[in-house]
Structures are given as C-alpha cells and as structure tokens.
Amino acid sequence: MIRTPYLLFLGDAPDPLAAKVAQGIKDWRPENAVGQFRMEGCQADLGLTDMTLAEARAAGAETLVIGVANRGGVISPAWKKVLVAALEEGFDLASGLHNLLRDEPDLVAVAEACGRTLHDVRVPDVAYPIANGVKRTGKRCLAVGTDCSVGKMYTALAMDKEMQARGLKSTFRATGQTGILITGGGVPLDAVIADFMAGSIEWLTPDNDADHWDLIEGQGSLFHVSYSGVTMALVHGGQPDALILCHEPTRNHMRGLPGYDLPSLETLRDTALALAKVANPACQVVGISVNTQHMDEETAIAYLAEVEEDMGLPAVDPFRQGAARLVDALEQV
Amino acid sequence: MIRTPYLLFLGDAPDPLAAKVAQGIKDWRPENAVGQFRMEGCQADLGLTDMTLAEARAAGAETLVIGVANRGGVISPAWKKVLVAALEEGFDLASGLHNLLRDEPDLVAVAEACGRTLHDVRVPDVAYPIANGVKRTGKRCLAVGTDCSVGKMYTALAMDKEMQARGLKSTFRATGQTGILITGGGVPLDAVIADFMAGSIEWLTPDNDADHWDLIEGQGSLFHVSYSGVTMALVHGGQPDALILCHEPTRNHMRGLPGYDLPSLETLRDTALALAKVANPACQVVGISVNTQHMDEETAIAYLAEVEEDMGLPAVDPFRQGAARLVDALEQV
C-alpha cells in the first residue's frame, strides 16, 4: 500500500487533461490530497493549495504522487530535480508512468540513502497465487463494458461513494494504474502474468463480512480482442454476485479496432452473465451505466429511458445523475 | 528457435511418465530425436539409441533437451555434471523446468565461455505486440476444451501429422512448454504478460498461404476459472476459422476445482463459437475430439457414436482412431 495522504505533482502539465490522474485522486479521495505541486509553465490547476515540498510535509503528506503524464515518455531533468528533493524531504514517490522510477539509478540511490520507497504501480509487487475458485464470503460487483474506456472505473468509484454516504460497507478494488493511485493499492492486472490473472483478483477481493460489497474496477471488454483475456480473468476471479453493464453509445467501432462493431447491451448481458455464472451461479445483472458525455442532456435522458425500458434494468449516467439507482439495485441482491 | 535435432536427456527418471516430454518429442518429431542419454538408475527408455554426448554430436545433435521432470524441483549435482559437459561438447541446452537454466550461475558461465545458448521455454524471450485484430491470410484451427488437460495438444499434433501425410499445408503452433520443446518454437502463453496474450498469438500465427492451416495448441478452458483468461486470448488472438471441441468424459469435476462441473459439449460449442465469431465471423465448429483413455474400447466406440449423433459432428478419439475424420472436416471449411 502507498502511504497517504499525498502531495499531487502536476509538473509542467501542458493542459488539464494531462493531469487526469491527479484530478481523479482529488475527485474521489479528496482526503488523500493535501495540496498540489506545480512547476513553471504548468497549465493544470486542481484548485488545491499550491505547496512547497516542506509545506506539504508539515501538513502531513507522506507520498509525492506523479499525477501527470510525462511528455515524450521520459522523466525530464526538471522533474528529476523535484523528485530527488522530495525523497530528501522524506516523501515516498508513486508513479504510474511507463518510464519506471526504479529504472532511474539516481532516484534509486537517493531513495535508498533516505530510506524511502519508490512505488511503480504499473508493475505488480506481489507473487499472486493461481486462482482456486473457492467461494468467498461477502459480495462482489463487477463493471463490464461493451468496449474499453466506457466508464467502468468511474461507475465503480461513484457506487462506492454512494454506498459510503449511505453507511453501507463497500470497498473500491482497483485493477489499473489510475485506480491504484487513487486508492493507494490494488492489482495492475494488465501487467500480471497470464497464469496468475484470476488468482490476483481472488487475492484482491478476499473473504469479507456477509454484507460487504467489493466494487471491482473492470478492465477491457469480453468483446475487445486485444484485452478480452484480462476481462475474462475478472469475471472468473472476481466471482461477482452482481454485474453492471457499461456502455458508450456514440462509438462507431471498438476502441482501436476499426471494423469491429460494438456488441449490443443484450449481447453483453447474455455473454457476461453466462460466463460469470461458471464462478458464481447466483450472479445477476443489476443495472446499466451509460457514458453520455457525447450527447446533449435531452438526448441523453431520452436514450437512458429507452435503454431502461428495453432492458428492464435501471439505466443511468452516474456522471450526470449519480449512482443512487445502481446502489438501490445492488441493495436488492 | 531451438536448434534441431536433439539428444534427449532422460536423466535418472524414476518412471516412464517422468520422461513424457521426451516421449512427446520422439512420438511427434522422431526426426528431431537423434538418441537418448540416460543416467545410472534411469527407469525410462524411449527405445532410441543410447548415446554419449560425443556420439550424439557426431550424429548431428545440436541441442540437449531435458525431457524429464526433475525431482524436488531443483537441478541436482548429478544432472549438472552432464549439462556442463554437454555445453563443453558444443550442445545448446533446452528445458521447460520451473528451475530455470539461466538461474544456475555455473551453467550461465560455461554457456557464455563456450558460446552456447540456454533455452528456458517457460519464459517468453520475445517482446510481443498488443493484438490489433487485423484479419490475417491463411486459415487457423484451435482446439478448445471442456476442461484443462483433455487432449488439446494431442489433437492438434495428430491433425498436423495427418495433414502432412496428405501433403496439405499445415503447421502445429505450440503455446505451452511441451509443445515448444517438441517443435523447437512457440509461445509459452501462460507466462506472457496479460496485455500481450492475444498479441502473442497473433505473432505466432501470422499471414500465410490461403490454403495453409495453423493448428493452434489450446490451453486451459473457457470454463476453468483459473485459466479462462488464457483460453480467451487464444480464441480472440488466434482468429480461428475452425474449432475442435475436446472432452474427457469421465471427469467428475473440473481439474483442480472440486465442486465445479464440466460444461456439456453443447455449452462449450455455443460459448466458444459465439466468442470466436467476434474475431472471425466465419468461424465454424467442425469436429469433436474425445479422450477415451479411461474407457474400454466398446464403451468408447459407443460413446463416440452417441456424441456424433447428438452433436451432428464427427466425434473421434485421435489416439484410438487417428485424426483423419477431423482433417476431412477441416478440408470442408
């Protein structure tokens, strides 16, 4: 686990979108975000207090999280200076960059000298078991998508937030870099060795109270030929009791796969549910989460009503409407 | 690729079963098996000529293949002596042991000094791409099972042998350690990083002649919760034109998963075909391969006839009956 709370490093972000990891932390775990650290020319601003390293340490920050994508894929000398100073100031570092912190000899040397930890959340640091399929106590909900990047993480985080607000027992279980940085822990599933994928998800979602829900972050899609194996490991390793179908209705082909049509919500429902029942015969599809960001409000609301009628399940855009109705559905399971 | 032909190292195999990798090489690629090397107390015998290292080199052997499981999971000092001598004699070494050759400093040092190569076929040595889903030329057949270890490799090898005998164009594509040692190359799919699984299978089965068939070795099962993600990557990365259903009818639960029932052949057919059509809408299920080793001849023949009638597809045990009827079915695609 990454030590919290964080100072969020925005570096020299060329635009707000480059800082979306930091934005996610601030949106979903504001209590983890003590302040922001911006360099000369930074074009992102989370609206948090700008702090020096020393100020953030004094305010309790334990880890400097790189919350911004790096241009050109390398850690620049300007960034390096800040990262070294942060280690010397007593921060751990956490990063989801492809360019690993541990591959930078100077950072490794300073971290060792200062007794600090470098977290590269793209790389698993656990020897996961092979899945044993044994039924676990507690309940699990998995978001599955018609495609990649349709809002599965957002949906699970929004449901977790709503459940916390209602005083229900829930835990968001991160399976990707951004989710791991937001919550401080999880499994970087796309980097796990094939034989251990399902086992890593069993490890991530262990026995729990009978009324506790794990909200498992989905990855990929059963219908995306590049990543469907990863999704399958979630469906079987997660043993979900409930599935939420996620969809983005304006795509004209699968992400990155010209010529590949998206499946219908009906096809996703039938395929995912049949496969999920192998691991958990009691699994149900309980709701639909639609990412309507590319529709105007009126079109979106009409579309959601139509889906709800066709599918006989609550259909909401949690960004527009919150996740209350999805949580209502979960409470019926 | 591993250099052929081989000298097959049987070591001090406690029984014939321990040498099943060597047996597989001898059965399926006899032209690769120059001879066998047995140590004091070896209880396996492939019926090949026993050779010293020097004799095997003189007979043209290029690689010493460890064709036997090691007791206790470690490479013993007695084995080590032979392996070092083999490197000095000019052999490369190839192994599918968990205990990697490359983790033995003395073997690494001698291999380097002699300019020889250590092949650990459990570990990928290629940076596989992410799958792009682009349709490839040539044809592909994938064996999918109701469970793990039901005869998928045997089926693909038997079909390849039959196709070669008929003068058809075919290549067995290995996706596991034994298959890789038998043929000298392939993808150790269970050891590939999640994001690259489907891409590794695209890499393994590239564009080919329109009338060429890749016979892809299956792994796991869509219904085995520990490994289903691996199977899914084969179904989507392999873009199969034809599926062969593989089954072992005497199991009372999924291998290693007490309480998990095997799916019916109908369920396997419907599930695998629907998923395969995502990557290749023209995919067909063409035949059924049944491992009847735990049935007597009469029961086996009756069972196969019943399956054939129920499913409307040729159903054979390629070990008892050969793979001719499966190849006939493939020729209709």
Side-chain angles (χ1 to χ4, degrees), chain A residues 133 135 140-144 222 231-245 268-285, chain B residues 222-223 225 228 232 260 271 275:
Chain A
K135 176 72 181 157
R140 287 157 199 86
C141 175
L142 174 66
V144 292
L222 293 168
T231 313
M232 186 68 132
L234 282 159
V235 170
H236 282 168
Q239 287 182 358
D241 301 273
L243 297 175
I244 304 283
L245 310 181
L268 172 64
R269 175 194 64 201
D270 296 345
T271 303
L273 185 59
L275 292 169
K277 284 185 168 181
V278 170
N280 185 352
C283 186
Q284 306 170 38
V285 177
Chain B
L222 293 168
F223 295 86
V225 296
S228 53
M232 186 68 135
Y260 280 81
T271 304
L275 292 169

Side-chain angles (χ1 to χ4, degrees), chain A residues 103-127:
Chain A
D103 289 343
E104 299 293 314
D106 44 357
L107 293 182
V108 171
V110 176
E112 230 164 75
C114 302
R116 310 273 31 113
T117 303
L118 304 178
H119 296 280
D120 286 301
V121 302
R122 268 187 194 274
V123 186
D125 53 5
V126 171

Side-chain angles (χ1 to χ4, degrees), chain A residues 27-239:
Chain A
D27 288 348
W28 295 109
R29 292 291 183 275
E31 69 277 19
N32 284 352
V34 166
Q36 65 186 13
F37 186 101
R38 303 194 294 160
M39 290 164 56
E40 185 81 20
C42 181
Q43 300 297 313
D45 182 355
L46 304 178
L48 295 169
T49 310
D50 286 295
M51 290 185 178
T52 65
L53 296 170
E55 286 167 354
R57 282 292 288 154
E62 298 281 5
T63 301
L64 181 79
V65 172
I66 299 179
V68 58
N70 53 340
R71 299 187 235 198
V74 290
I75 296 174
S76 68
W79 280 29
K80 192 66 79 60
K81 216 179 284 180
V82 178
L83 302 183
V84 167
L87 289 167
E88 289 171 346
E89 196 75 47
F91 285 94
D92 291 342
L93 301 183
S95 160
L97 301 177
H98 276 287
N99 180 174
L100 302 184
L101 300 173
R102 71 184 63 172
D103 289 343
E104 299 293 314
D106 44 357
L107 293 182
V108 171
V110 176
E112 230 164 75
C114 302
R116 310 273 31 113
T117 303
L118 304 178
H119 296 280
D120 286 301
V121 302
R122 268 187 194 274
V123 186
D125 53 5
V126 171
Y128 302 115
I130 286 180
N132 63 24
V134 173
K135 176 72 181 157
R136 305 189 293 288
T137 54
K139 292 181 175 178
R140 287 157 199 86
C141 175
L142 174 66
V144 292
T146 50
D147 193 2
C148 300
S149 306
V150 292
K152 297 185 296 293
M153 182 181 80
Y154 190 98
T155 300
L157 281 163
M159 290 176 70
D160 180 47
K161 192 173 185 174
E162 174 71 19
M163 293 182 82
Q164 296 290 322
R166 294 188 190 183
L168 300 171
K169 295 183 195 167
S170 71
T171 309
F172 170 76
R173 300 295 189 182
T175 61
Q177 287 80 24
T178 303
I180 294 171
L181 288 173
I182 289 174
T183 58
V187 167
L189 185 56
D190 62 9
V192 172
I193 300 236
D195 247 3
F196 304 99
M197 293 186 299
S200 76
I201 302 305
E202 291 189 348
W203 173 91
L204 181 67
T205 60
D207 279 332
N208 216 317
D209 296 344
D211 58 346
H212 177 277
W213 280 94
D214 277 329
L215 299 162
I216 307 174
E217 182 190 354
Q219 294 293 336
S221 165
L222 293 168
F223 296 86
H224 194 294
V225 296
S226 309
Y227 309 115
S228 53
V230 178
T231 313
M232 186 68 132
L234 282 159
V235 170
H236 282 168
Q239 287 182 358

